[in-house]
């Protein structure tokens, strides 16, 4: 997935930009606080599942998912 801040969308989608180095510079990590990770059900891993319950934050990772 590409986490691209809104202020870079126009530059990323501009078909006139063809310089690979210039485009790579847009792929810098998003600013701190722009992305939040949290544990969710392993049901997310199955494309047949769909619904708002997939967004429910779990208190901790599900048993058996830690290495």
């Amino acid at each position: 997935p590409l986490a691209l801040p809104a202020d870079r969308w126009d530059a990323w989608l501009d078909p006139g930009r063809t310089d690979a180095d210039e485009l790579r510079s847009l792929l810098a990590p998003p600013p701190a606080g722009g992305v939040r990770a949290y544990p969710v059900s392993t049901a997310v891993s199955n494309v047949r599942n769909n619904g708002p319950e997939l967004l429910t934050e779990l208190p901790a990772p599900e048993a058996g998912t830690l290495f």
Side-chain angles (χ1 to χ4, degrees):
L2 175 61
L4 196 64
D7 65 336
R8 298 182 194 162
W9 293 354
D10 288 339
W12 180 254
L13 297 172
D14 181 353
R17 289 183 185 245
T18 58
D19 182 83
D21 290 329
E22 183 182 350
L23 291 169
R24 266 190 221 96
S25 73
L26 298 172
L27 300 178
V35 176
R36 180 175 169 264
Y38 56 89
V40 295
S41 166
T42 54
V44 170
S45 301
N46 187 326
V47 298
R48 290 176 286 185
N49 297 327
N50 189 17
E53 69 279 0
L54 298 177
L55 300 175
T56 302
E57 182 174 355
L58 298 177
E62 288 184 288
T65 62
L66 299 175
F67 295 97

